[in-house]
Amino acid sequence: MARISLTPPRTLLFRAMEWYSKRAYGKVLDPGRAMGHHRRALWSYLRFEQSVAKWNTLDADLKELAVMASAASIGCAWCMDFGYWEGHKLGLDPRKLHDVPLWRESDAYTALERDVMEYAEAMTANPPEVDDELSGRLLRGLGEAAFVELTMIVAVENLRSRFNSAMGLTSQGFKEFCDLREAPARGTRQAG
């Protein structure tokens, strides 16, 4: 259960965020509801996320795997749920999305994807456990700009996951929505 009310004052900013969230995601995101109690924090965070959304040097699939590996390391149920939905929208293999928490035991990933997830975990450790060998492989595989973006997106996900976990935010049902939408692809028919 959330550690703060998810019904903040209905300021103009909160109502604008609520409208956008419903339009973009089909529901109001709980992190926005939690931040709605602090107008400046919400405003700053929204502007920050708009900027982050424009980063496009790192491959989107690798970025999503890094984000999810970081969220899994922290144990953020909300972030894993939302990450599954985002990965599904990108067209990532559902097995890759499902296997993120156990990526070391899964054969679903390429060597580069494994390095990205290992790096995300190493950065997320406290203190960070990044080593020169792994960094070197990623620099060679991604290039400098994408390596910087990878490092920044993992840092951003640490901010998100730690906020959401500390606030007690849990799944909003994004993964379940994806699972329902996948049903026709497996040959089953949805009631309609």
Side-chain angles (χ1 to χ4, degrees):
M1 172 165 255
R3 293 184 178 102
I4 190 168
S5 163
L6 298 180
T7 54
R10 297 194 49 76
T11 64
L12 181 59
L13 175 62
F14 179 78
R15 290 192 318 263
M17 182 280 300
E18 187 178 49
W19 173 84
Y20 176 80
S21 185
K22 285 179 184 176
R23 186 171 168 251
Y25 309 110
K27 58 182 95 178
V28 181
L29 303 182
D30 285 349
R33 290 178 190 264
M35 280 185 225
H37 291 282
H38 191 291
R39 184 180 58 80
R40 287 183 186 226
L42 177 60
W43 177 245
S44 297
Y45 183 73
L46 292 173
R47 288 186 5 230
F48 176 70
E49 284 291 354
Q50 284 179 327
S51 179
V52 169
K54 295 175 186 169
W55 299 350
N56 62 5
T57 303
L58 180 63
D59 174 80
D61 291 355
L62 293 175
K63 189 182 304 188
E64 189 58 32
L65 291 174
V67 163
M68 288 188 71
S70 179
S73 290
I74 291 169
C76 180
W78 193 93
C79 298
M80 291 300 293
D81 178 49
F82 189 72
Y84 190 95
W85 179 78
E86 284 191 312
H88 185 266
K89 276 184 26 185
L90 286 170
L92 264 167
D93 178 346
R95 182 168 169 228
K96 286 184 179 186
L97 295 170
H98 179 268
D99 287 358
V100 167
L102 306 167
W103 66 266
R104 283 182 171 82
E105 290 82 39
S106 176
D107 63 356
Y109 305 103
T110 67
L112 181 58
E113 290 169 339
R114 289 177 175 285
D115 282 348
V116 163
M117 290 186 287
E118 182 179 348
Y119 186 75
E121 283 185 0
M123 268 191 70
T124 301
N126 192 16
E129 300 171 349
V130 175
D131 66 48
D132 291 340
E133 183 182 330
L134 177 58
S135 297
R137 283 196 313 267
L138 285 165
L139 271 166
R140 286 186 298 279
L142 299 173
E144 290 177 338
F147 180 68
V148 168
E149 187 170 322
L150 171 63
T151 303
M152 285 300 297
I153 201 64
V154 172
V156 168
E157 185 54 34
N158 268 259
L159 175 136
R160 294 171 182 150
S161 289
R162 292 179 190 282
F163 177 85
N164 295 341
S165 292
M167 287 290 169
L169 304 181
T170 58
S171 170
Q172 277 191 262
F174 285 99
K175 181 183 183 303
E176 290 77 16
F177 179 75
C178 295
D179 290 344
L180 290 173
R181 301 217 38 213
E182 289 173 1
R186 292 191 299 248
T188 58
R189 188 175 162 160
Q190 287 182 315

